[in-house]
Amino acid sequence: MSTFAPTNPDTGTDPYALKARRLGIDTYQEFVVYLRADSHVCKSEGFESLSRVELHWDDKHLVATLNVVTVDGFDALAPDEAGLSETAWRAFGGRDGDAVRLAHPAPVGSFAHVRAKIFGHAFADEALREIIADIREGHYSTVEMAAFLTACAGNRMNADETVALTRAMVAEGARLHWLQRQVVDKHCVGGVPGNRTTLILVPIVAALGLTIPKTSSRAITSPSGTADTMETLAPVSLDAAAMRKVVEAEGGCIVWGGGVNLSPVDDILIRVERPLDLDGEAQMVASVISKKVAAGSTHALIDIPIGPTAKIRSEIAGHTLAARLIEVGRTLGLEVDVILTDGSHPVGRGIGPALEARDVLAVLRNEAQAPADLRERALLLAGRLLEHAGHAAAGHGAALARTVLDDGRAWRKFGAIAHAQGGLREPAIAHRRHVIVAETAGTVARIDNRRLARIAKLAGAPRAPGAGVDLFAPAGARVSVGQPLYAVHAESPGELAYALDYARSQNNVLEIAPE
Amino acid sequence: MSTFAPTNPDTGTDPYALKARRLGIDTYQEFVVYLRADSHVCKSEGFESLSRVELHWDDKHLVATLNVVTVDGFDALAPDEAGLSETAWRAFGGRDGDAVRLAHPAPVGSFAHVRAKIFGHAFADEALREIIADIREGHYSTVEMAAFLTACAGNRMNADETVALTRAMVAEGARLHWLQRQVVDKHCVGGVPGNRTTLILVPIVAALGLTIPKTSSRAITSPSGTADTMETLAPVSLDAAAMRKVVEAEGGCIVWGGGVNLSPVDDILIRVERPLDLDGEAQMVASVISKKVAAGSTHALIDIPIGPTAKIRSEIAGHTLAARLIEVGRTLGLEVDVILTDGSHPVGRGIGPALEARDVLAVLRNEAQAPADLRERALLLAGRLLEHAGHAAAGHGAALARTVLDDGRAWRKFGAIAHAQGGLREPAIAHRRHVIVAETAGTVARIDNRRLARIAKLAGAPRAPGAGVDLFAPAGARVSVGQPLYAVHAESPGELAYALDYARSQNNVLEIAPE
């Protein structure tokens, strides 16, 4: 550490003292400190933009990236103030005007391991523990995290390194423990709109007596995450104690993972990884397995949808990923089963929180208009999980699941879980809607998942939970001219207009092949 | 491109229009746009922090990283304003209140090449051209640049890729052309304080009739760059036309490279690379060679100091780098000679712009107290360059250089160059000083370049050109108790105190071994 504590002979005061100031700037994960270029600290320490600086208060500190503020434009910051970005402000936990000091930080020691990896050396277990701990404590800048992720991508992580990375990520967060000998879980690698099988699978297996403490994510770039969809039906922001009560009472839950702090470094890295679109296999494996292990699961079913606009685009890539998931899971005491599914088109009809919830309710309530593909997909997955956990003989899981769904036990269990989480509610779909119709006749040959998702987002999903897309013409459907293809739902006329403007500017969101 | 131009049916106006606003925040190279979380664009487009956004005005656009500003803290920005960081503001070139629009950017196409490289594919020439052009145009975020630099590091770039990278960097900037058949140049890889041989070498070789249009950098993390030291003696911020006039009149110049825009992508990448401390060989080679080729040089001498606190730490690394520099230089029409020198301790006595300039003047004027090590180092390098350019037989270059220095021609030439650049001036050394003395007797065994440089920076160098460190006891000197080791110079009592506080907190900046 290069800190030292001088006294300014001119003034007798600590020349490095500044007043903390919340600026309200969201720099996402990175801690950023804003200093005026004419502040005495900036001048005497030779700090410049993109410098890493150490912010000290009481006996605590954090490392941040510096943005220097020139005096001519930005007059909200005084020369004796240190402006803090939102994450830095939360880590600081103080009040406006509290005294802080700035210093040059020691280099992040664990980054030497990243450099060694770049030069071809495998990570030792201890190296990955140090790196992940430093990332959790905010010692890595986004630039350093990008270098770490790049060094791990391109199949440069062997099985041992992937195991060590996963262990390190588990260690840096909370960990749930259950009295039950067997705890099951389910995860979908993602990329398929409307694929809300979790909300059907959880009550089926819980109704059969299995323990399934399911944590799910909110949307980051999609129109809805499982937690967003569930939230239109029941509260999901439960802490670990509240979640435990639900699971102990009902055998299962569907809550937001952010409330229980499982593998938090995964959430940090994913936001740097996503814009790079690197899909590093080791990161993907560590992400999935660390969440499941931290949740205390013993058996997990991983659904890998394969399709040109899904996350995994080929069967070979799917099988390679599956092998690594099973291998790493087993080493950490998690029995993993993997199923490759069709990810080429949306599942169900709704895209957006409330629209997806409506489909889920229709399936659970055995309504006639329930989307058959969502129902069958959920039964397939529930069946596989029942077989994987030893609750059904091979080939008999889906039939068992179907019985529980058909006789209403799944629906009753869902209601009980929702009640335990704070109360079941009906999803409110936005009434303002516009229907897009077919301009040519033929068969729906291809559906572009990504553009359909974008229309739903422009319409307001997931921020506006009632907004989204309602798909009437699934892949393979025959349509005539003027027949409805999909409806766009929005909560304001402006948002409806934006979404429709975009929809009309795109050809072939649904590709119709002439007969 | 995913832009489209909707009209808000509620208001009849362009819902994406915002007013540009200069915020004066220096985010270094990265373009950053600040939007209020409650702005209609943020809400309807689903933008979030760290999103990449496209800013449109007139028929121009730029791609920036978004920071979302929450309303509760930061009240300097209105909901209909788009705040711009300093670099974004300069690229925008408009005025406060000018209309801009935001859109989702198309993915940076060339980043697919970076991903392919990460997965083990070599870069094609065209791929590197596209990447470097995109970086120059500001299409890469710092995170993407970090991934690119990481993918290139660790000896993953072969000779062809290094050549292509160098060519691409030359192509993305200005290029100087000279009538002379032979144009010489000199470069030092750096890391050694006080090593200002350039200011002595240039007038020696120019006095002998060679053409040496030298461009130098300002300090980024050191207490002085060659351009900073020269600036205490003469103006250095010349544009290409003014530089050409100086070279045509005097055969040589020593100007700041930033004024002539040679290989500007090097300057962009170096600021992302430096905090990562990756020392990627291909980047280092492309950096050096692209600057020399863009400057129109035909023969260059590269000085690689080797030492534990220098940039290159082993002879093996020095020779490996040398081989690649020669190979890539030759392919691009630049004859490179490399010399490995002792980088284990400072050269000369002064560290800081004016103190270094004082040493340079003493050598050029043949003063008795001139630092012998600086003088001999400059003669060695000048001699090697004269031999490399064919102006002296092998082994006779240093003697020829010595003649020109001893008889005053080098000093007269330096004066003429300084005059042509705008006028020779005397460097002004800060009079406020404090001397650090030896507390034990013995021999100066080791000098820590990095901590000595830090003391000079805390004293104010290079911002305060008169500040820095004056070293009295070079490596190998015998000292008794109370004998002066070095003096710290500063322009204000506060800065002197900060530097001394740090100096006193560090043991063994000069390590004294007992006899």
Side-chain angles (χ1 to χ4, degrees), chain A residues 314-339:
Chain A
S314 79
E315 290 214 13
I316 292 174
H319 287 298
T320 309
L321 177 61
R324 190 53 66 87
L325 284 165
I326 293 166
E327 185 182 10
V328 172
R330 183 161 302 159
T331 311
L332 273 80
L334 176 72
E335 287 301 321
V336 172
D337 186 21
V338 175
I339 181 166

Side-chain angles (χ1 to χ4, degrees), chain A residues 2 4 6-10 15-16 21-28 34 43-45 48-50 66-70 72-76 86 104 111 115 117-120 142-144 146-147 150-151 153-156 220-221 271-272 275-279 454 457-458 463 493-495 497-498 501-502 505, chain B residues 2 4 6-10 15-16 21-28 34 43-45 48-50 66-70 72-76 86 104 111 115 117-120 142-144 146-147 150-151 153-156 220-221 271-272 275-279 454 457-458 463 493-495 497-498 501-502 505:
Chain A
S2 61
F4 60 105
T7 302
N8 187 333
D10 300 346
Y16 289 81
R21 164 85 186 280
R22 180 181 186 180
L23 286 186
I25 298 178
D26 180 5
T27 54
Y28 182 56
Y34 301 82
K43 287 196 295 185
S44 67
E45 280 284 278
E48 56 185 11
S49 278
L50 283 202
L66 181 69
N67 279 191
V68 172
V69 176
T70 55
D72 39 356
F74 184 94
D75 51 8
E86 283 300 274
H104 287 276
F111 197 76
R115 268 193 293 271
K117 177 70 184 173
I118 292 168
F119 280 83
T142 51
V143 164
E144 287 162 335
T150 304
N155 303 319
R156 290 214 176 75
I220 297 180
T221 59
R271 295 295 284 261
V272 179
L276 294 175
D277 197 17
L278 279 180
D279 285 336
R454 174 130 198 252
K457 282 161 61 182
L458 285 172
R463 186 186 31 76
E495 287 174 321
Y498 309 148
D501 276 325
Y502 174 75
S505 73
Chain B
S2 61
F4 60 105
T7 302
N8 187 333
D10 301 344
Y16 288 81
R21 165 85 185 281
R22 181 181 185 178
L23 286 186
I25 297 178
D26 180 5
T27 54
Y28 183 57
Y34 301 82
K43 288 195 294 185
S44 66
E45 281 283 277
E48 57 185 10
S49 278
L50 282 202
L66 180 70
N67 280 190
V68 172
V69 176
T70 55
D72 39 357
F74 185 93
D75 51 7
E86 285 298 275
H104 287 276
F111 197 76
R115 269 193 292 271
K117 176 71 184 172
I118 292 168
F119 279 84
T142 50
V143 164
E144 287 162 335
T150 304
N155 302 319
R156 291 215 175 76
I220 298 180
T221 59
R271 295 294 284 261
V272 179
L276 294 175
D277 197 17
L278 279 179
D279 287 335
R454 175 132 197 250
K457 283 161 61 182
L458 286 172
R463 184 187 32 76
E495 287 175 322
Y498 308 149
D501 276 323
Y502 174 74
S505 74

Side-chain angles (χ1 to χ4, degrees), chain A residues 48-340:
Chain A
E48 56 185 11
S49 278
L50 283 202
S51 289
R52 296 288 281 168
V53 295
E54 214 168 64
L55 186 82
H56 289 258
W57 70 101
D58 304 335
D59 58 343
K60 298 193 279 287
H61 75 278
L62 60 83
V63 181
T65 295
L66 181 69
N67 279 191
V68 172
V69 176
T70 55
V71 285
D72 39 356
F74 184 94
D75 51 8
L77 197 67
D80 65 343
E81 288 180 329
L84 273 62
S85 67
E86 283 300 274
T87 40
W89 184 258
R90 283 195 289 274
F92 169 58
R95 286 179 304 185
D96 274 320
D98 281 0
V100 294
R101 303 177 75 250
L102 286 192
H104 287 276
V108 184
S110 67
F111 197 76
H113 305 309
V114 178
R115 268 193 293 271
K117 177 70 184 173
I118 292 168
F119 280 83
H121 303 280
F123 284 119
D125 293 7
E126 181 57 26
L128 284 162
R129 269 200 298 276
E130 291 173 19
I131 291 166
I132 297 302
D134 276 337
I135 290 173
R136 189 193 185 186
E137 288 175 26
H139 293 169
Y140 273 50
S141 64
T142 51
V143 164
E144 287 162 335
M145 283 191 269
F148 169 64
L149 291 166
T150 304
C152 295
N155 303 319
R156 290 214 176 75
M157 296 279 277
N158 63 34
D160 289 345
E161 289 172 292
T162 309
V163 166
L165 175 65
T166 309
R167 268 195 223 283
M169 285 168 66
V170 171
E172 285 300 320
R175 193 158 176 180
L176 304 179
H177 298 277
W178 305 95
L179 294 176
Q180 290 80 353
R181 195 185 51 79
Q182 191 181 58
V183 175
V184 303
D185 213 333
K186 178 261 178 191
H187 180 81
C188 178
V189 165
V192 179
N195 196 14
R196 293 291 156 246
T197 55
T198 295
L199 275 65
I200 303 163
L201 176 148
V202 167
I204 290 175
V205 303
L208 285 164
L210 282 79
T211 303
I212 183 161
K214 182 82 189 82
T215 62
S216 296
S217 55
R218 292 191 189 278
I220 297 180
T221 59
S222 73
S224 185
T226 295
D228 299 310
T229 300
M230 183 65 183
E231 197 167 37
T232 67
L233 297 165
V236 295
S237 293
L238 279 64
D239 64 17
M243 171 188 174
R244 179 174 297 277
K245 281 179 72 171
V246 175
V247 175
E248 282 171 0
E250 300 300 338
C253 69
I254 303 161
V255 303
W256 174 50
V260 282
N261 196 35
L262 307 177
S263 189
V265 174
D266 178 46
D267 302 326
I268 297 172
L269 287 174
I270 217 162
R271 295 295 284 261
V272 179
E273 196 180 4
R274 204 168 293 252
L276 294 175
D277 197 17
L278 279 180
D279 285 336
E281 186 182 275
Q283 292 297 335
M284 216 185 293
V285 170
S287 167
V288 173
I289 303 294
S290 67
K291 292 275 192 205
K292 302 297 154 211
V293 170
S297 305
T298 60
H299 292 71
L301 174 68
I302 318 276
D303 175 13
I304 304 181
I306 312 283
T309 52
K311 197 157 183 178
I312 305 295
R313 300 181 190 196
S314 79
E315 290 214 13
I316 292 174
H319 287 298
T320 309
L321 177 61
R324 190 53 66 87
L325 284 165
I326 293 166
E327 185 182 10
V328 172
R330 183 161 302 159
T331 311
L332 273 80
L334 176 72
E335 287 301 321
V336 172
D337 186 21
V338 175
I339 181 166
L340 306 190

